[in-house]
Amino acid sequence: MWKKVLLWILLVLIVLVGGGVAFLYLRPPSQAPASAIKVAMTPQRIARGKYIFENLSDCDGCHSQRDFSRVGAPVVPSGRGRGNELSAQLKGLPGTVVAPNLTPDPETGLGKWTDGEKIRAIREGVDNTGRALFPMMPYPSYRNMSDEDVQSLVAYMNSLPPVRNPLPATKLDFPVGLFIKFVPAPAASVAPPDRSDRTRYGEYLATLGGCGDCHTPIEKGRPVVAKTLAGGRVFETPSGTVVSANITPDLETGIGKWSEEFFQKKFYDYREYAVSGPPPLPGPQAFTLMPWLGLSQWPPEDLGAIYAWLRTVKPVHNYVETHPGAPKP
Ligand code: HEC
Ligand code: HEC
């Protein structure tokens, strides 16, 4: 008698779980139709888009060809936006993860996408067919990007020389591919940030700059909220290993003692390299994924705003060794 009941319970469970998985498989991510917008290709738009792509949001970091043998891993200009198989460059990703070709090449890039589909992918996280993008693509942050800024970005992407570069498709391990379907969501229209409020503007820049994405440690694929910006995320690559630094205002283990001037100088030390090309890496202690070269081109107002915002975040005591095992510089 009891055996029969147990069998029934088991059967019901199997049907429920199986049905749940099937539902997840078939369920499209939450999405709205792409807008019919055609962005204006004005010189101002393209210039602002170039700044966002290369300096502010470091789209380059994932989507462009880079030379990891040099300090700061500069972009190889002929491979700008051509895409990368990220899972071949970074350990620990759940499957084959590819940052696609964003150039207007019609076969291997975005040549056949509408501007509205590009904007939707960047801010809402679905591709032109409505498939959910793996959120390593920072669309959960980019949904805060202003309408003006995202249109500028698309104008710049449209102006890139097409590069033919066939890449494999992203293929995520089970069950990650199912869970990420809950991440995309339609975005509302976003007004430009108020630049007169320095701290709020700094928060906008930090969100688009992905500071929190890299500077917050990850456990089991999720950011550790209690250690937001406290560093400790490990990046293991064939070119070297680096751990992100604590950039909270903690006095001992963070950047609490840094003056604004010292903070800005840290970035501007890379200005020359960004302009005339950085030297080869002197050793593993200099390997980094911190986008110093791109960020060194920020105007002082923008770096100052980020500094002002970073002073307002919760200090977290967390000692980080950025280059474990490497000789001290
Ligand atoms: C940390 C790495 C990373 C950064 C930074 C990044 N992306 Fe991505 N991006 C990805 C990955 C990975 C995918 C593909 C995800 C997938 O296929 O599921 C992607 C997908 C896309 C797509 C969809 C393309 C397609 O063919 O499906 C667009 C458009 C895009 N990114 C634009 C941008 C722009 C513009 C920026 C800068 C504002 C940017 N990305 C910054 C990693 C990144
Ligand atoms: C792609 C990942 C990545 C992104 C994006 C990133 N960082 Fe970093 N950052 C690192 C790593 C790794 C280090 C440690 C190695 C080094 O100093 O180069 C670091 C170091 C730093 C340091 C030096 C701290 C010290 O104690 O020397 C500062 C300051 C910093 N980051 C600020 C920022 C800010 C501000 C942003 C956003 C605009 C940002 N980072 C975005 C990866 C990143």
Side-chain angles (χ1 to χ4, degrees):
M1 172 65 196
W2 275 112
K3 261 198 187 151
K4 246 190 177 166
V5 171
L6 277 179
L7 266 175
W8 269 108
I9 293 180
L10 200 67
L11 203 72
V12 168
L13 273 178
I14 290 173
V15 169
L16 279 180
V17 171
V21 169
F23 170 75
L24 281 179
Y25 255 113
L26 299 172
R27 177 188 187 273
S30 160
Q31 57 194 282
S35 81
I37 191 173
K38 182 104 194 59
V39 306
M41 298 289 288
T42 62
Q44 294 88 328
R45 275 267 166 81
I46 295 174
R48 172 70 184 164
K50 181 176 159 71
Y51 177 67
I52 299 172
F53 196 95
E54 298 179 7
N55 307 110
L56 178 48
S57 292
D58 195 35
C59 314
D60 269 340
C62 291
H63 288 278
S64 296
Q65 183 183 3
R66 297 168 70 192
D67 180 356
F68 289 101
S69 72
R70 293 182 177 274
V71 172
V75 169
V76 178
S78 62
R80 175 153 271 137
R82 62 140 207 198
N84 287 304
E85 190 175 336
L86 293 179
S87 42
Q89 297 181 347
L90 197 62
K91 270 204 196 151
L93 296 176
T96 304
V97 176
V98 177
N101 185 338
L102 301 181
T103 72
D105 182 63
E107 301 307 323
T108 65
L110 302 184
K112 290 178 180 149
W113 288 41
T114 66
D115 288 349
E117 286 167 346
K118 291 174 206 171
I119 291 175
R120 186 176 64 162
I122 295 166
R123 288 205 301 200
E124 306 180 17
V126 293
D127 76 2
N128 60 337
T129 68
R131 177 186 66 91
L133 301 175
F134 180 51
M136 180 179 187
M137 161 68 193
Y139 59 88
S141 300
Y142 297 162
R143 61 185 295 108
N144 300 302
M145 192 183 288
S146 75
D147 299 354
E148 188 58 41
D149 276 351
V150 77
Q151 289 179 37
S152 302
L153 197 45
V154 168
Y156 171 71
M157 281 158 56
N158 291 345
S159 79
L160 284 171
V163 180
R164 210 190 127 67
N165 184 36
L167 288 164
T170 291
K171 200 170 177 316
L172 300 171
D173 295 340
F174 181 84
V176 179
L178 295 185
F179 291 149
I180 64 151
K181 288 194 181 185
F182 292 100
V183 188
S189 161
V190 182
D194 174 5
R195 294 190 185 218
S196 65
D197 182 340
R198 200 163 171 250
T199 314
R200 286 287 305 277
Y201 180 51
E203 183 176 13
Y204 178 78
L205 298 172
T207 305
L208 264 49
C211 318
D213 297 334
C214 281
H215 282 274
T216 304
I218 304 253
E219 269 166 29
K220 299 200 181 93
R222 284 168 189 281
V224 183
V225 178
K227 290 191 177 168
T228 298
L229 295 164
R233 180 163 174 193
V234 182
F235 298 92
E236 235 184 308
T237 83
S239 317
T241 294
V242 67
V243 184
S244 62
N246 184 343
I247 56 171
T248 71
D250 184 61
L251 286 172
E252 279 165 37
T253 62
I255 60 168
K257 287 186 183 143
W258 291 22
S259 68
E260 181 170 342
E261 202 188 354
F262 184 76
F263 179 83
Q264 298 222 6
K265 185 178 175 299
K266 272 273 185 186
F267 293 81
Y268 289 147
D269 278 349
Y270 289 83
R271 272 218 139 147
E272 207 30 57
Y273 286 172
V275 176
S276 46
L281 271 184
Q285 72 282 4
F287 173 76
T288 188
L289 290 179
M290 166 72 187
W292 292 115
L293 299 172
L295 292 171
S296 74
Q297 303 302 297
W298 281 30
E301 310 86 85
D302 285 10
L303 277 181
I306 284 242
Y307 177 83
W309 176 71
L310 280 174
R311 305 302 289 180
T312 69
V313 308
K314 194 175 99 214
V316 180
H317 195 83
N318 186 39
Y319 174 74
V320 174
E321 205 177 337
T322 52
H323 295 89
K328 295 276 170 272

